[in-house]
Amino acid sequence: MSAERALMAAFEGIEVPAWLARVLPDRPGVTLFGNSNVGSVAEITSLTAALQEAAGTDLPLLIAADHEGGQLLGAGPATTPFPGNMALGAADDTDLSEAVGRAMGRELRALGITVDYAPVCDLATHPDNPSLGIRAFGDDPARVGELAAAMVRGLQSEGVAAAAKHFPGKGDALVDPHFELPLLNHDADRLEEVELVPFRAAVDAGARLVMVGHYALPAFTWSHDLPSSLSAEVVDGLLRKSVGFDGVVITDALNMHALTQGSGMVVDMIAALGAGVDLLLCADGEEQQEVLRSGLDLARRRRLIDPGGLERSADRVLALRKWLAGFGRPGVEVVGSAEHRALADEVARRAITLVRDRERLLPLRPAADDTIVSVMPRLIDLTPADTSSTVPPLLAASLAEHHPRVVEMVTSCPPLPTEVSAARQKAEEAALVVVGTVSAHIDRAQAQLVEALIGTGTPTVTVALRTPWDLASYPAADTHLCTYGIQPPAMRALAAALFGSLPTLGRLPVPIEGLYPRGHGGES
C-alpha cells in the first residue's frame, strides 16, 4: 500500500494540471481553496467533473472545501452567503442550524464538492484568540455540541461528509497556528468537561471525518513543541479510544507554521501517520507534494510507516467514498437559490442582538433632511481562514435603504489618525452616527475612533460587525448591537433592526466580560 494514498492534493487554477491528472488515481482526493481554485458555478462544476474523470473511478472522489459560512466561504461568492456559526449561536435554534447545514450541503454537492471542512467545534472561550472568533457557535460546551451536531446532520443529509474541527479544541489558543504553534495547558479533566463535549456530540451525530489541529498539548504529549496532529496520545488515544471516533482523521493544512516547513515536513508527516492520521491536507504546489510523496514512499520502504496502519486508513477512506456514492447530485440551480437566500436572511434576522440602548435611541426616527454618517473599516482577512476581504463595505448602502441622507466613510483597518479626525468632523455635522467595528477588542485604533465619535455628543449607534466583545473596548457606547458578520444578509438585518422594522431576537452566545453574561439581549 502506497503512502501516497494519504495525501489530499491541492493545486493552483481552475483546470486540472497535467501532473495532478497523472497522480490522482493514486490519491484519495483534493482540497479546493477559495483563492486558488474557485470561480463561477460553471467553472467549479467543470473543475470537479474533470477531477472526478481524472480519478478514473466511479467512486466519488473526496473533493473538499473550507465552507463554514460567515467569514469563511471557501466554495466562493456564487454560493449563498450564510451567516456563520456565531450567528447561529445567537439565534440558538438547532433546527435552524440543521437547515443551514442541509442547504450548504445541497449547494456543495451540486457543485461537485463532497467534503466540507465543517463544522467548527471549537469553543469561543478566549476573546483574544486570533483565528477563531465568530467561527465558533459560542462558549457553552453543551449548546455548541447541539448546534454542531445539527450542522453535521444537515450537511450529511445531502451527501456531503462533515469534518468536525479542530480537534481537540483550540478555543484558548492565543496565537494563530498558521504562523506558530499554540500552547494549550489543559489537563484531562478540563478537556473532558469543556473542549471534547462538542466533538463527542458531532461524532455521535455521525460526522464522517474529524480534522485534527496543530496545537501543543503537553498534559498528553509531555512536550511543549509536539503538535497534537502528530501525537498518538491525541489521535489514537483521545480521539479514537476516548471519544470513540472510527471514521477518517485528517490533519489541518500542512503549510501552517505550527508544523515544520521545508524538507523537515516529511518527518512530521511520518509522525502524523504513526499517530493514527488517515489523510494529510496538502497545500497547493506540485514540487512540495512530490517531495512529500517521495519522502513518504521512502519511509514506507524503510519500514518507518506501519503498512497495517496504511491498510486501515485505506479501508476507512474507501468506506467514506462508498457512503458518498449513495447520494444523488442536485442541479446547480440550487446554488444561491431564492429559498436558500431567504434562509440566510432568516438566520441574520434572528441573530441580530441588541446589547444596550440606554438612551432609547432605537428605533431610529430621523427627520427627512437629517444626515446619518455611516463609518466602518474596509474589510480585510484577519487570518488565512477568512474570506472577508471579498465582501464590500455594505453598512452605508443598507442604511440608505431606510433613509435618503447617508454619508459613507470607509476607513482603513486599523483607521489612520487622519481618518479618525475626518470621521469626527463628519459626526459633528450630522444628526446621527452609525459606526461598525471589526474585532475592535484586538484593534485598539478602532476603539479610539469610536471614542472620538462618541465624544462629539452626536447620538451614536455602535455595532460589532464581527466578534461581540468589541463593546468592552468602548464601554461608553450607549446603543450597541451585534451582527456576527458582514455579509449582505447581516447588513440588511441590521438596518431593518435599527429602523424598527425588525425585532432584535438574538442573544449573546458568549459573555462580554465585566458587562453582560451569555444569553443577554434586548436590554434597554
Side-chain angles (χ1 to χ4, degrees):
M1 172 66 66
S2 170
E4 182 174 3
R5 293 185 179 276
L7 293 173
M8 282 287 283
F11 61 100
E12 286 274 359
I14 58 173
E15 296 182 351
V16 181
W19 70 267
L20 181 58
R22 290 194 302 271
V23 304
L24 203 51
D26 294 319
R27 297 287 182 93
V30 302
T31 302
L32 302 183
F33 291 103
N35 60 353
S36 298
N37 313 111
V38 174
S40 67
V41 169
E43 288 169 333
I44 299 171
T45 54
S46 176
L47 175 58
T48 56
L51 288 166
Q52 184 63 52
E53 182 179 1
T57 175
D58 291 334
L59 278 179
L61 193 64
L62 303 185
I63 302 179
D66 252 327
H67 198 72
E68 300 172 4
Q71 76 178 58
L72 186 53
L73 296 174
T79 60
T80 302
F82 284 106
N85 287 348
M86 194 166 281
L88 287 165
D92 196 26
D93 184 334
T94 53
D95 290 340
L96 193 61
S97 182
E98 185 167 346
V100 169
R102 188 161 51 248
M104 288 201 303
R106 191 176 302 133
E107 293 195 9
L108 292 175
R109 194 67 195 245
L111 293 170
I113 295 169
T114 56
V115 175
D116 191 6
Y117 296 146
V120 170
C121 293
D122 307 307
L123 298 166
T125 49
H126 205 300
D128 291 337
N129 186 316
S131 65
L132 185 57
I134 59 170
R135 300 171 69 194
F137 289 101
D139 75 333
D140 178 72
R143 193 55 180 154
V144 169
E146 291 166 351
L147 292 167
M151 181 68 71
V152 168
R153 292 193 297 269
L155 284 167
Q156 296 192 165
S157 70
E158 296 293 331
V160 171
K165 63 184 185 184
H166 306 78
F167 192 85
K170 69 170 186 175
D172 271 10
L174 295 182
V175 296
D176 189 335
H178 288 91
F179 306 115
E180 58 184 299
L181 180 66
L183 174 65
L184 301 175
N185 279 313
H186 301 326
D187 61 17
D189 289 342
R190 156 70 188 237
L191 283 178
E192 189 63 38
E193 294 170 5
V194 182
E195 278 75 17
L196 297 187
V197 173
F199 287 98
R200 288 187 184 279
V203 168
D204 289 346
R208 295 280 167 170
L209 299 95
V210 170
M211 177 181 287
V212 182
H214 310 311
Y215 311 100
L217 198 65
F220 287 83
T221 65
W222 302 284
S223 170
H224 285 73
D225 60 3
L226 176 65
S228 49
S229 51
L230 315 184
S231 165
E233 291 81 8
V234 174
V235 178
D236 187 57
L238 265 182
L239 181 54
R240 293 283 188 209
K241 293 185 172 66
S242 179
V243 175
F245 180 64
D246 60 2
V248 173
V249 177
I250 185 169
T251 66
D252 207 342
L254 304 185
N255 64 335
M256 292 184 174
H257 287 263
L259 297 183
T260 305
Q261 298 301 298
S263 58
M265 187 184 292
V266 173
V267 176
D268 278 359
M269 298 309 94
I270 295 169
L273 295 177
V277 164
D278 301 309
L279 296 178
L280 305 168
L281 201 169
C282 292
D284 56 41
E286 175 186 6
E287 183 177 345
Q288 182 197 56
Q289 290 176 65
E290 175 56 26
V291 169
L292 293 178
R293 186 208 63 76
S294 59
L296 290 177
D297 187 58
L298 178 61
R300 179 190 60 80
R301 289 187 280 115
R302 296 292 186 264
R303 300 183 182 179
L304 297 176
I305 298 175
D306 174 26
L310 291 177
E311 290 285 353
R312 289 189 292 274
S313 289
D315 288 344
R316 284 190 284 263
V317 172
L318 179 61
L320 172 59
R321 295 176 70 176
K322 287 181 176 179
W323 176 82
L324 290 168
F327 293 86
R329 180 170 172 176
V332 294
E333 65 275 3
V334 304
V335 180
S337 66
E339 176 188 356
H340 291 176
R341 293 196 306 270
L343 178 60
D345 284 335
E346 180 185 356
V347 176
R349 289 194 300 266
R350 292 177 59 182
I352 295 291
T353 304
L354 176 61
V355 179
R356 174 188 289 173
D357 189 17
R358 288 172 173 166
E359 300 299 324
R360 305 283 183 172
L361 190 58
L362 302 183
L364 301 180
R365 292 287 186 263
D369 60 350
D370 281 347
T371 296
I372 298 176
V373 173
S374 163
V375 184
M376 72 172 291
R378 186 170 294 106
L379 301 166
I380 63 173
D381 296 336
L382 299 182
T383 170
D386 196 346
T387 54
S388 297
S389 63
T390 64
V391 182
L394 297 171
L395 178 58
S398 299
L399 297 175
E401 292 292 319
H402 298 263
H403 185 70
R405 295 177 59 85
V406 177
V407 174
E408 180 178 33
M409 183 167 186
V410 178
T411 72
S412 306
C413 189
L416 302 173
T418 53
E419 293 170 331
V420 174
S421 297
R424 181 184 178 96
Q425 182 177 348
K426 290 180 185 294
E428 289 172 342
E429 300 167 354
L432 179 72
V433 176
V434 179
V435 53
T437 57
V438 175
S439 299
H441 65 290
I442 295 175
D443 177 6
R444 180 60 191 161
Q446 288 188 65
Q448 291 170 344
L449 168 62
V450 172
E451 290 165 351
L453 295 172
I454 293 172
T456 65
T458 302
T460 299
V461 177
T462 58
V463 185
L465 297 174
R466 191 153 167 162
T467 50
W469 300 291
D470 288 11
L471 182 61
S473 300
Y474 43 79
D478 286 327
T479 302
H480 183 78
L481 300 93
C482 298
T483 65
Y484 313 98
I486 42 79
Q487 298 285 350
M491 294 296 93
R492 288 193 294 267
L494 169 64
L498 290 176
F499 286 92
S501 58
L502 175 70
T504 51
L505 302 175
R507 295 292 182 268
L508 288 173
V510 294
I512 302 177
E513 188 174 358
L515 294 174
Y516 298 102
R518 180 199 317 123
H520 170 83
E523 180 177 290
S524 59

